[in-house]
Amino acid sequence: MPESSETATERYRLRPETVVTDRGEGPAIVFAHGTLMDRTMYDPQIDALSDDYRTVAYDLRARTDQCATEYDLYDLADDADALTDALDIDTFVLCGMSMGGFMALRFAKRYPEQLAGVVLIDAIAEPHTDEEREQYRQMAAQIRADGAFADHLVDVAKNQLFGATTLEENPGLVEHWTERWRTYPPEGFYREMHSWLDRPDFTGELSAIDVPVLSVHGAEDVSLEPERTESMLDALPNARQELIPKAGHSSNTENPEAATAAIRSFLEDVY
């Protein structure tokens, strides 16, 4: 029987060292990954930034022993709060990619006093379309029923998560992640996807987020096209965007130099 959501949150408070990469000292930035990814997607940023900042990347529920728990984005925000509390991080910049970004917006609503800023990587405030939700719902249900990631669904996912340049010029990066996907528990993927699949539009809540926000978005993102960030950027009181060339939905892994430069500039302004 799945653990309760409360138990899942407490595992972040009681066992944080089992789910984090924590390097460097100074002002903190906390990294939350997206669906089908894990904390290692931020290795390039941790390598580059940990000389000047405390860099913390952590695994969200789907990569832990709580992968089968039913949860939503606010539960993930509670997890992040428990984790940072356990690590004695009082104020930080929260950086989230895709699902991690959806969560970061809700964290900003629930725990505003903890944030110095927010970085959104390939994330939007609007919900997915009905057509997109149905496609993702079918994908998650099939993987759950099969108990495995079929080849054709891996192909669908890699074309959603990586841009054309990466698919053509960096097949090693794509293969690295597709091999990982095959080892993830299907039930974990199902729960992970359903944590955000039916989320309501968050655009109306954005005016209350008064910390600086940086949107880092792959110019080749076909999963969430860059123009879908426009309503979010308009509604946020203090936001700017950096488009990352030659990168898709996983822009910080596909073009890490450009993404890291944008994040570093933001951190210098915030701190």
Side-chain angles (χ1 to χ4, degrees), residues 169-245:
E169 299 181 3
N170 195 357
L173 178 66
V174 178
E175 184 179 3
H176 167 81
W177 284 105
T178 57
E179 287 178 348
R180 286 186 172 228
W181 299 344
R182 296 180 193 277
T183 72
Y184 292 155
E187 181 69 16
F189 171 71
Y190 179 89
R191 297 292 186 181
E192 184 175 53
M193 181 165 283
H194 280 271
S195 72
W196 52 261
L197 189 59
D198 294 313
R199 70 192 188 284
D201 191 349
F202 200 74
T203 308
E205 310 284 348
L206 297 176
S207 62
I209 298 177
D210 60 359
V211 295
V213 178
L214 171 67
S215 168
V216 174
H217 213 97
E220 298 177 359
D221 190 345
V222 298
S223 181
L224 295 175
E225 297 87 351
E227 55 267 25
R228 295 172 73 172
T229 65
E230 291 175 2
S231 61
M232 176 180 73
L233 295 170
D234 288 343
L236 285 163
N238 183 4
R240 69 175 191 262
Q241 183 172 75
E242 291 286 344
L243 286 180
I244 306 302

